[in-house]
Amino acid sequence: MALIGWLEPPEDHRVLFADRASVVPGATFIKFVDPRETTMQIQTDPSGLPSAHGLYDPRFEHDACGVSFVANIKGVRSREIVTLGITALCNMEHRGATGAEAETGDGAGILIQVPDAFLRAVVDFSLPVAGAYAAGLVFLPADPTRAATAVATVEKIMTEEGLRPLGWRDVPINPDCLGASARAMMPIIRQFFVDDPAGAQGIDLDRKIFVPRKRIESALVGDMRTYFSSLSSLTLVYKGMFTTPELGDFFPDLWDDRMESCLALVHSRFSTN
């Protein structure tokens, strides 16, 4: 229940307006914050929203992004959780936005656990034990020469900060599913892998990665801009300038049987909110 505003009812009890998404159309319920849990109705304007009162004003109502979360409460990884996450994302197509070109969306993405078995099978270099390395998608400049310079800069800064670059992977993609605007802006997409020679793992490794990531963001700007959608030993993000169905179409990785997780957090972007 979202806090919208307060009013002073009889007997000086505080009253909390309920979010309109949780009430029936044309009415707003307010809940007394006292042990009796008394409930009553108040008047709404013709739009079905509450009338302006206190801190609440219906002019501030906006459409918003769509977010969904799927998890196995016992922490068991499975292919099914990833599939359910993608399905939930596609079911939120109405919560995303597009431009005049319907095939170019505001953005969509999915966060899952690092799929260790999958990554070991698809890279051509050795990886430490699960949790002892970080992986993430990197959006590099579209120009191959600039991308090569960006890769060298990423590795240099990571090394300067005491970390060890392990290698890069070209991520399989399917640009044919995108609209013309999204294809025109598409970066080179690769996965980067790094570990700590000192042996940091898990959240400790993620903390050590924070500083070099910020240095890279500052060093690579303009035509050289390089963006990490994530870089973690715990989670992995696939995202882009997609409509909700395009995420799975664009990244074949997401349909591999070895892509397993016990959680999936998905997001459909609505940038005009």
Side-chain angles (χ1 to χ4, degrees), residues 6-238:
W6 297 96
L7 61 80
E8 294 293 338
E11 302 180 12
D12 199 31
H13 290 299
R14 289 289 184 178
V15 174
L16 176 65
F17 286 91
D19 184 340
R20 68 185 177 94
S22 64
V23 300
V24 297
T28 299
F29 291 89
I30 52 178
K31 179 181 178 183
F32 285 99
V33 185
D34 76 352
R36 292 172 294 179
E37 293 292 325
T38 309
T39 305
M40 71 180 190
Q41 289 186 330
I42 63 171
Q43 187 176 2
T44 62
D45 65 17
S47 70
L49 298 173
S51 300
H53 189 94
L55 298 177
Y56 176 75
D57 191 317
R59 294 177 300 170
F60 300 139
E61 291 282 359
H62 300 284
D63 289 324
C65 301
V67 178
S68 184
F69 181 71
V70 182
N72 181 294
I73 61 174
K74 295 183 179 180
V76 178
R77 295 176 182 241
S78 70
R79 166 68 239 175
E80 179 186 19
I81 290 293
V82 180
T83 301
L84 286 172
I86 297 171
T87 301
L89 178 66
C90 292
N91 289 341
M92 293 192 299
E93 188 171 9
H94 63 291
R95 298 308 311 153
T98 64
E101 181 184 85
E103 294 80 16
T104 297
D106 275 3
I110 184 170
L111 176 147
I112 59 174
Q113 290 178 293
V114 169
D116 179 66
F118 169 76
L119 294 176
R120 289 182 187 280
V122 297
V123 300
D124 57 3
F125 46 87
S126 297
L127 292 174
V129 298
Y133 67 92
L137 260 69
V138 187
F139 296 166
L140 297 162
D143 177 75
T145 301
R146 292 193 179 105
T149 301
V151 165
T153 302
V154 168
E155 294 181 349
K156 177 176 181 292
I157 291 175
M158 287 289 176
T159 301
E160 289 174 353
E161 294 293 334
L163 298 170
R164 176 169 54 198
L166 298 173
W168 296 80
R169 173 186 177 238
D170 293 325
V171 179
I173 57 173
N174 174 30
D176 293 342
C177 71
L178 302 180
S181 299
R183 283 198 304 272
M185 301 175 64
M186 189 176 69
I188 292 175
I189 303 173
R190 303 183 72 189
Q191 274 176 334
F192 176 58
F193 298 78
V194 62
D195 76 345
D196 177 20
Q201 298 186 28
I203 191 64
D204 293 330
L205 176 57
D206 288 5
R207 290 190 180 112
K208 296 188 75 169
I209 289 170
F210 179 81
V211 170
R213 275 189 65 177
K214 291 301 179 183
R215 284 189 57 193
I216 291 165
E217 290 174 4
S218 298
L220 297 173
V221 296
D223 291 340
M224 291 297 300
R225 189 185 178 211
T226 297
Y227 173 76
F228 290 85
S229 63
S230 66
L231 186 60
S232 171
S233 63
L234 304 172
T235 58
L236 184 64
V237 171
Y238 284 81

